[in-house]
């Protein structure tokens, strides 16, 4: 059987997903064949050029026509968040398996509608998944496995941060990621969603309460003009930044553990520093995306003259996903997680199981993002993640 894929969108994430679809069938023994059938975008010339560069068989400009085609099996959505719900729900109702980039949506209401549509589709054998690809970095999956084995004991505290610096320069133009109507939120949803999902993934616990604050440091930026993805803008003047630049918040997990979160695009000198450290009564584990082939492990049960963080090189064939790639010590990179994402999605579709992270898991992250915004509006009051703001806030 061949699974034919349509990808909606062709920006940065379109490139990464294309690498995943192209490489996974060549490096892994997939249960079904995969065909990169069609790439979709609004600009006919631009999407055609992207399709030719990345290896798609054809290009199109109308996503509705594409998902209505009988020869499309999987719809991969890499558009801005404001269109996720519309496209994903239509694709699921058309009987297509769906992969959608994170965060799942721009609001809890949209995410709930998507999760409901996914549940209805699953009853018909139609699968759906959210693209939290950092789960599929071998070191992160291995970290999760070690915690589940009990190597750190009872989890007592978690520290998670995602720090970038690409907005430090106030001359950086206004892009769709900086407008709420397109992106939903700023650093909070774009990179904060990753550390929320990673915390829940590696600990096996859910965030149930939040206290936080957000800040927009540069409130106006130069307009980009045509090709920016922003409607109604000219190539001169300034536009308002309507999302956050920094989000700092504290969370409580359902097991009682406290978590500190930081998501920022103003960490000068930090290019893509996603870090997580999980501390327990028997030890600790730490991961840094800028050193993504390793973990730091502290064994508190060792003799006191042998204690200290040690480096685990996560490149052995027995480590998650690694056997399909290179000999031990031959490093993997950022792009490999997207191949692993394809492997897990195709394996689930062929096997008739629901892949993870599911739309329900994506909804859980969306509810945490919403709780952070509600807490910030109330000046850092603790709020329950699952609370109805009209009833409790």
């Amino acid at each position: 059987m061949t699974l034919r894929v349509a990808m909606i969108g062709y920006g940065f994430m379109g490139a990464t997903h294309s690498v995943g679809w192209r490489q996974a069938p060549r490096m892994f023994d997939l249960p079904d064949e995969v065909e990169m059938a069609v790439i979709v975008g609004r600009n006919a010339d631009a999407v055609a050029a992207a399709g030719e560069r990345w290896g798609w068989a054809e290009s199109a400009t109308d996503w509705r026509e594409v998902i209505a085609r009988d020869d499309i099996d999987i719809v991969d959505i890499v558009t801005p968040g404001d269109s996720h719900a519309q496209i994903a729900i239509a694709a699921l109702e058309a009987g297509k398996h769906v992969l959608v980039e994170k965060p799942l949506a721009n609001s809890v209401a949209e995410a709930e509608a998507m999760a409901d549509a996914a549940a209805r589709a699953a009853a018909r054998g139609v699968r759906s998944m959210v693209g939290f690809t950092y789960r599929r970095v071998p070191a992160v999956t291995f970290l999760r496995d070690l915690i589940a084995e009990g190597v750190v004991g009872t989890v007592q505290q978690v520290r998670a941060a995602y720090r970038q610096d690409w907005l430090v320069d106030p001359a950086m133009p206004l892009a769709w990621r900086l407008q709420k109507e397109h992106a939903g939120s700023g650093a909070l949803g774009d990179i904060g969603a990753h550390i929320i999902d990673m915390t829940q993934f590696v600990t096996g616990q859910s965030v149930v309460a939040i206290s936080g604050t957000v800040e927009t440091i540069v409130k106006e930026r130069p307009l980009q003009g045509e090709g920016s993805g922003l409607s109604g803008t000219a190539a001169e003047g300034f536009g308002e930044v309507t999302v956050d630049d920094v989000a700092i918040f504290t969370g409580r997990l359902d097991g009682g553990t406290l978590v500190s979160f930081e998501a920022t695009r103003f960490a000068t000198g930090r290019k893509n520093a996603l870090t997580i450290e999980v501390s327990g009564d028997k030890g600790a584990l730490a991961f840094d995306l800028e050193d993504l082939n390793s973990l730091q492990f502290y064994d508190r049960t060792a003799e006191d003259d042998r204690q200290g963080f040690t480096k685990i090189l996560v490149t052995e064939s027995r480590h998650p996903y690694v056997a399909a790639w290179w000999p031990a010590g031959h490093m993997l990179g950022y792009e490999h997680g997207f191949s692993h994402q394809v492997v897990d999605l195709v394996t689930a579709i062929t096997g008739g199981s629901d892949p993870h992270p599911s739309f329900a898991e994506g909804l859980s992250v969306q509810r945490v993002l919403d709780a952070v915004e509600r807490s910030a509006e109330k000046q850092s009051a603790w709020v329950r993640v699952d609370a109805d703001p009209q009833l409790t806030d």
Side-chain angles (χ1 to χ4, degrees), residues 31 60 73:
D73 303 294

Side-chain angles (χ1 to χ4, degrees), residues 129-206:
M129 189 170 79
V130 189
F132 284 108
T133 53
Y134 292 139
R135 285 187 176 205
R136 294 178 165 87
V137 173
V140 174
T141 306
F142 188 49
L143 188 156
R144 186 276 311 268
D145 295 344
L146 290 174
I147 292 173
E149 290 174 15
V151 298
V152 303
T154 300
V155 174
Q156 297 175 319
Q157 187 179 358
V158 180
R159 291 163 292 281
Y162 203 155
R163 294 168 291 168
Q164 300 175 339
D165 71 352
W166 61 279
L167 287 182
V168 170
D169 184 356
M172 178 68 71
L174 188 71
W176 70 263
R177 291 184 185 275
L178 306 181
Q179 292 201 322
K180 189 174 181 65
E181 65 266 30
H182 297 295
S185 63
L188 175 61
D190 184 25
I191 55 180
H194 275 301
I195 53 177
I196 294 165
D197 179 73
M198 186 175 291
T199 296
Q200 296 189 144
F201 173 64
V202 302
T203 64
Q205 299 184 43
S206 299

Side-chain angles (χ1 to χ4, degrees), residues 169-175 218 220-225 230 234-239:
D169 184 356
M172 178 68 71
L174 188 71
V218 176
E220 288 188 335
R221 290 187 177 273
L223 296 174
Q224 292 189 109
L230 305 177
E236 58 183 27
F238 288 80

Side-chain angles (χ1 to χ4, degrees), residues 10 41-52 59-61:
Y10 61 96
R42 289 175 296 182
N43 184 310
D45 292 338
V47 73
E52 183 176 358
S59 63
T61 57

Side-chain angles (χ1 to χ4, degrees), residues 73 87-99 112-129 349 352-355 359:
D73 303 294
I87 300 173
I89 292 171
L92 289 168
E93 290 178 346
K96 314 302 182 185
H97 309 293
V98 173
L99 169 64
E112 288 176 338
M114 293 171 73
D116 288 344
R120 293 192 301 271
R124 308 191 311 272
V126 179
R127 311 300 169 185
S128 54
M129 189 170 79
I349 290 171
S353 63
D354 290 321
F359 277 21

Side-chain angles (χ1 to χ4, degrees), residues 209-213 248-250 370-385 392-393:
I210 283 291
S211 175
T213 189
I248 299 174
F249 48 107
T250 303
D370 176 73
V372 175
E373 292 185 322
R374 288 189 280 126
S375 176
E377 290 173 1
K378 297 176 69 66
Q379 299 185 352
S380 298
W382 279 93
V383 299
R384 282 176 42 214
V385 169
T392 62
D393 287 358

Side-chain angles (χ1 to χ4, degrees), residues 93-112:
E93 290 178 346
K96 314 302 182 185
H97 309 293
V98 173
L99 169 64
V100 61
E101 252 305 310
K102 53 73 1 219
L104 182 62
N106 277 4
S107 69
V108 170
E110 289 177 345
E112 288 176 338

